[in-house]
Structures are given as structure tokens and as C-alpha cells.
Amino acid sequence: MGHKLLEVKDLMVDYRTDLETIHAVNGVGFGLDQGETLGLVGETGAGKTTTALAIMRLLPERTGRIVQGDILLNGASVIEGTEKALQRLRGETMAMIFQTPMTSLNPIVSIGNQIAESILLHNTQGRSEGEIQQRVDEVLNMVGIPPARKKEFPHQFSGGMRQRVVIAIALACEPDLLIADEPTTALDVTIQAQVLLKIRDLRDRLGTALIMITHDLGIVAQTCDNVAVMYAGELVETGTARDIFTSATHHPYTRGLFDSIPRLNQKVRRLRPIPGLMPDPTDLPIGCFFSPRCPQARPVCREERPPVFSSGSQRIKCHLFGDQEGFAQAGP
Amino acid sequence: MTKYIIKRIILIIPILLGVSFLVFTILSFTPGDPASIILGNGADQEAIDQLNKELGYDRPFIERYLSYVSDIALHLDFGFSYRTRLPIRQELIDRLPVSLKLAFFAVILACAIGIPVGILTAVKQYSALDTAPTLTALVFAAFPTFWLGMILLYVFSLRLGWLPSYGAMGWYHFILPVVGLGLPEAATLMRFTRSSMLETVRQDYIRTARSKGAPERRIIWKHAFKNALIPIVTIIGVDFAALMGDACATEVLYSMPGLCTMIINGIRQKDVPSVMGATLLLTALCALVVLLVDIVYAYIDPRIAAKYSGRRG
């Protein structure tokens, strides 16, 4: 793996309104090497998108606040960057694919121009108008849309094609980091595989580092080198994809996630969903955030924040691993 | 597109027929007749009957209506004024520019103030640059046109003597009426622009534009404003039509020889052809403005253009 591209350190993000403060991300830290793919997994509301938006510095201006922590992109802080510096980074060094392909494109600008804008904004090579158009054609070919259709508008494309246009916009400047925020959630099942394959294929071809945000463990298994499981704004378990899928020991939440997936090789009468709901982000529990739903919770879980324990590349934030063989405390 | 426009122009005909029938009926069935109003209280019945006959007012209602409509349809002849005996068509031609200028410049003024200030307040939401204009707009939007007109008349003509108080001879005669008519309209338009912009900047595609690294100025003008413009254009069109009506108070207040004064004087004197002619002309104008708005839509929004021409989409 290449050098450290992205480092997220102890990130905390709040959404503040007059009525309440929502603690969306509560101390998330991870690193990403060049060309690496990280799967960010968790339920809706776990803070995955917020983490991604914080990295892009696209949090809602009025409410979203980065309270603590730092985000380093190629060693430089994104949080301290000026708006101008950020504009240079966005699109050129990091890009994002959003989960709503139907609304992510400007309805009154042709798709060709929307892709061209991205190239024009970061025209460091001094491309001429003709060369920009040529690049637009190239990118469209790359995502499998005939360049002849570049004069058409978003409403003339299907959901899957629109998402491919969004991917084309994101990849037009060949960014080092691509954040794909549930890129297939809003799509038809038949189109999902097609879009995923496209993202994977382009990642491999361009050597882009990828953060794949999803709640679909199948996608993680197919695409990711490393996996981070998120719950109530924190990482409860991280490790390589192999750790997550084959290791015998897991955070109870990760176990719950796997138990709620139907398996083909086992006769299962009923799925076992995780009982209860995610804690209210305006009023988080005192101890471990998962303790109210955890089947193995001990008294200490409801009183103290769990430390992180590690074994090999696997890191688990849970009290249960304090006396587990092979695990050593690796952090608070 | 051309086919669509032609279709829409043809559709104006039934609108005109409906309006003409309605107004003609109301005018004919209200009590009184033109001759007794022209000749005054002391006139004897024989003279009144004689004059009504001359004017053609003695014929049955349906006959009068049909001949009125067919004269317009066949010869573009709007008849003669009962009062002055002059052809209505010439009077319409003389008065139309006054009304058009008044409404046109009032709309221009409203756009020139309302749209930029509306964008500013949306971009600077919750700051002093938002609250101050928004509150001012609230006050101006609440002013009745005639009241604001009277205040302006009092201050600038009567007290200061800077501007004329009546007539429509030169451009300076239009300043007060245009301001009086345009300012409340600017307030409405500003509030509308503000909410439309606020709605637009929350859209997902604005976030996409930001994620490309587009600077704020470009996002506001190229991505947000163009999309916000679609509902704003509707309001401008509706405003223009409403202004034609609002202009009644203004035209009367400043004694401007426009179409609205023609209607009001016509009603007072039961001058059916005057009222009819001016009403029909205003109706046609409003219908054309609405059509114009629909055409402008197509230029802004490709989805609507596709609908007009029946293309895929």
C-alpha cells in the first residue's frame, strides 16, 4: 500500500439547532492508504454520511459543527483549510458520490456541461475548450454512457444512468479519494450490481482510494480491503475484510448485524434482528452506546465508556474483550 | 415549439369570447340606458328613445352582442363610443401605450429591486441584511397601491413640487405612478425570490456543485439562481397581468389617459363599446403575457421544453 492519504483523528460532529444538539459523530478515527478501500458500515443514522460530509467539509453550514478532532488529507488539515483551498481539494483531490442519483444533478444543465464544469474548475493543465469536451467524452465512455448523449438533460436518463453521470463527475479529475455514500441504495436491484461493478472497476483502473459507505454487508465483502463498523457515531469494530467476515470474535453489534442477514447454507426459520432502536443522538447513554440493546451487556457497560481492544488488525470497542485471550487494550 | 405557440394563440379566442359575453351581459342588464345618462335628468322620453335608437341600443340584447362580436371578428371594428361618437379602435390605439408603459416600467422596477434584494436576503439568511429588507418588504407589500400613490402625490407633487401630479405627456409624468405601482410589486417579488432561492440552495444538486469545488458565487448564480428563476418568472407574468388591474387606481389617481381610465369612465357613462374595447384589449394582453411566460419557461427549463415539443422525456 502507498502512503497515508487520509487520516481522520478523533472526529466529533454535532448538529446544533435552537432546539437541540445532535451528537452525530462521537470520536471517529481511521486512516486510509493510497488505493485502499474502506467499507464504512452501519445502520441508518449511525453517522456514516456525516463523517463523509465532514471529510469533504460539506456539512450543512448553519447546523453542522466539527467539535473536535482533525482530518488530514495528504498530511494537510482539511479542517483548518480556507474555503479557497477547500474548493481546490473538492473535485480534484477528493470527490463524493451521493446516495440520491435522482436529485444530485442540476435539472437544467446538460450532463455534458455538468461534467465539463468539474474539469473546468480544476483546469490546471490549461486544457482548451476542445480538450475539455474530449475529456468529457472520455469520462462518459468510462462510465458507459454514449458521448453522443452529453447534450441531454438529467430527466432524459434513468436512475442508474444518472448515478453513472454522478460517478463521471466525481471521477472527471481523477481524484485520489472517492467517497461513495450508499451509491446503490436508491437504485433498482438490477442496476445496483452494474453501478457497483463500475465503481470497483474504475477504482482499480485509476488507483483511487475509496470509502464505501453502505449498510449492505454483501457490498463490503465484494469491494473492501478494510471495514469499519459504525454505531451511534463511533467505530465499534474495525479490521480487514477478512477479520470482519471470518474472525470468530466480534463486537456484539457486528454479530447482530450478521445475524440479521439470511444465509443460504443454513436452515433459518426466522431472522434475528437486533432488538430495539439506535439511541437518541440528542441523549446518548452514559456507558457503551450499544449497551441498551446488547444481549451480553454487563453492569460495567452501562456505567463506563468501553476502551478499544485489539488483536492483530482487528480492533473492538467493547468491555467484553478486557478479559478475552489474545486481546490487548489499544486505546481509550 | 412553433406548433405549441400557435395552438396557445388560438386558445386565446375562446377566452376573449367568454370575457366579452360576460362583460357585455353585465353592462346590458344593469339598470339605465346610455341615452338617459347622456341627455341628463331633464330630458323627455321621446328624445331618449330617439338617441337610444341612433346608438342601436334599442335592439334586443343577443342581436347587439352578435353584431358587436362579428364586427370585431370581420373588420376589427370596435364600434363607436356612445358618448363621443368617435371610433373605439382609434381610442384604444391612443391609450394602449400609456397603460403598457406604466405596467412595463412598474414590472421592470419591481424586478430591478425585488430580484437582487431577494437573492441577497436568501444568501445572507438570518443576518441583518436579511431581516431589514424582509421587514421593509412586508410593509410595502401591505400598502394598497392607491394609498401609496396618494402619499407619493402629496409628498412629491404637492409639498415638494418636484414632479407633475397628472397626465402622461413626458417620461417624468410616469415616475410617480411607476414607483407607486412598482414598489409594492417589488416587495412581493423580493419575498418570493427569497423563498425560491432558499428552497433551491437546499437541493441536492447544489451540494453536488459544491463537491466539485465550485466557488460560492458560481453556485449562487449558475446553479441556484437559474433554477430558482422558474417560479419567479411565473410570478412576474402573473404580476404583469395583476398590474394591468392595479393600474386602475394609479391611472385614475394621476389622471392618466390609459385603458383603465377608459373602462372606469365608460362604466360611469354606460358607454358599452368603450368598456368592452378596453376590457378585451387588456384580456388579450394578459393572455399574451401568460403565453410569453410559458415560452420563457421552455428556455430556462429543458424539461418543459421537452413537454411542449412532445419529445422524449
Side-chain angles (χ1 to χ4, degrees), chain A residues 157-168:
Chain A
F157 292 89
S158 69
M161 286 185 107
R162 284 189 216 186
Q163 190 62 303
R164 280 189 276 157
V165 173
V166 174
I167 295 171

Side-chain angles (χ1 to χ4, degrees), chain A residues 1 63 68 79 81 83 115 142 159 197 212 219 242 249 257 266 282-283 301 311-312 325:
Chain A
M1 290 277 163
T63 51
Q68 186 192 310
I79 291 177
E83 189 55 38
I115 299 170
M142 210 162 73
L197 271 175
M212 177 65 88
I219 293 176
R242 176 176 290 274
T249 47
L257 271 187
Q266 278 170 22
T282 60
D283 181 24
C301 299
S311 158
E325 216 173 298

Side-chain angles (χ1 to χ4, degrees), chain B residues 79-90:
Chain B
F80 289 84
S81 162
Y82 287 165
R83 180 117 192 139
T84 60
R85 308 284 174 97
L86 292 171
I88 297 290
R89 188 165 63 180
Q90 190 52 45

Side-chain angles (χ1 to χ4, degrees), chain A residues 197-263:
Chain A
L197 271 175
K198 204 88 242 172
I199 293 176
R200 242 168 65 192
D201 172 48
L202 292 170
R203 172 201 65 187
D204 294 343
R205 197 147 24 121
L206 305 172
T208 313
L210 175 67
I211 297 180
M212 177 65 88
I213 297 175
T214 178
H215 50 236
D216 185 338
L217 289 164
I219 293 176
V220 175
Q222 285 168 31
T223 48
C224 301
D225 305 316
N226 292 311
V227 182
V229 181
M230 219 169 161
Y231 183 79
E234 57 181 15
L235 299 182
V236 292
E237 181 169 347
T238 57
T240 60
R242 176 176 290 274
D243 290 334
I244 302 293
F245 285 94
T246 61
S247 164
T249 47
H250 284 298
H251 189 284
Y253 177 65
T254 315
R255 196 175 298 282
L257 271 187
F258 276 95
D259 280 343
S260 44
I261 308 171
R263 280 162 200 264

Side-chain angles (χ1 to χ4, degrees), chain A residues 172-332:
Chain A
C173 297
E174 304 198 354
D176 299 327
L177 170 66
L178 177 65
I179 302 174
D181 183 9
E182 308 202 19
T184 55
T185 307
L187 299 178
D188 216 287
V189 185
T190 47
I191 308 296
Q192 285 184 0
Q194 185 198 30
V195 168
L196 270 181
L197 271 175
K198 204 88 242 172
I199 293 176
R200 242 168 65 192
D201 172 48
L202 292 170
R203 172 201 65 187
D204 294 343
R205 197 147 24 121
L206 305 172
T208 313
L210 175 67
I211 297 180
M212 177 65 88
I213 297 175
T214 178
H215 50 236
D216 185 338
L217 289 164
I219 293 176
V220 175
Q222 285 168 31
T223 48
C224 301
D225 305 316
N226 292 311
V227 182
V229 181
M230 219 169 161
Y231 183 79
E234 57 181 15
L235 299 182
V236 292
E237 181 169 347
T238 57
T240 60
R242 176 176 290 274
D243 290 334
I244 302 293
F245 285 94
T246 61
S247 164
T249 47
H250 284 298
H251 189 284
Y253 177 65
T254 315
R255 196 175 298 282
L257 271 187
F258 276 95
D259 280 343
S260 44
I261 308 171
R263 280 162 200 264
L264 289 176
N265 56 359
Q266 278 170 22
K267 213 176 159 142
V268 179
R269 214 172 262 280
R270 267 179 181 283
L271 291 174
R272 276 192 294 155
I274 308 174
L277 290 171
M278 264 237 285
D280 178 359
T282 60
D283 181 24
L284 290 165
I286 298 163
C288 169
F289 294 160
F290 188 57
S291 61
R293 298 168 78 182
C294 183
Q296 291 160 273
R298 299 168 180 177
V300 64
C301 299
R302 302 189 207 282
E303 281 151 24
E304 275 174 48
R305 305 279 302 123
V308 178
F309 296 98
S310 72
S311 158
S313 49
Q314 199 177 6
R315 291 161 70 90
I316 300 175
K317 192 179 177 81
C318 177
H319 283 297
L320 296 174
F321 292 82
D323 45 10
Q324 185 101 14
E325 216 173 298
F327 276 87
Q329 184 161 349

